Amino acid sequence: MKLKDILKKKEVGDLKIVAKIISIDAANARAALRRPGSKHHDKVVAVLSSLIHHRESLFI
């Protein structure tokens, strides 16, 4: 899933869940999502993409 799609589909609370999964603060997860050069960016995008994918699969 592309970053543009992830940003459209993320919901309130998703970044808190992602932050908890990768053991960082929610504020750091938000910042990492906005900065592609961040050391946590790839992890945040991967986990958020997975979270969105699983949520969508539940509502089929």
Side-chain angles (χ1 to χ4, degrees):
M1 187 178 299
K2 293 186 179 188
L3 184 60
K4 188 168 79 170
D5 296 330
I6 291 171
L7 293 175
K8 284 182 188 176
K9 294 180 180 184
K10 74 178 178 69
E11 294 181 3
V12 175
D14 284 351
L15 284 175
K16 285 186 179 182
I17 296 169
V18 169
K20 189 173 185 179
I21 290 170
I22 62 175
S23 301
I24 61 173
D25 292 336
N28 290 345
R30 262 184 245 105
L33 183 62
R34 288 191 303 261
R35 292 185 291 176
S38 170
K39 76 177 185 181
H40 296 296
H41 178 77
D42 293 336
K43 289 179 190 175
V44 169
V45 170
V47 173
L48 190 55
S49 176
S50 179
L51 181 68
I52 291 168
H53 174 72
H54 288 294
R55 179 177 44 239
E56 288 176 344
S57 70
L58 290 172
F59 293 114
I60 290 179

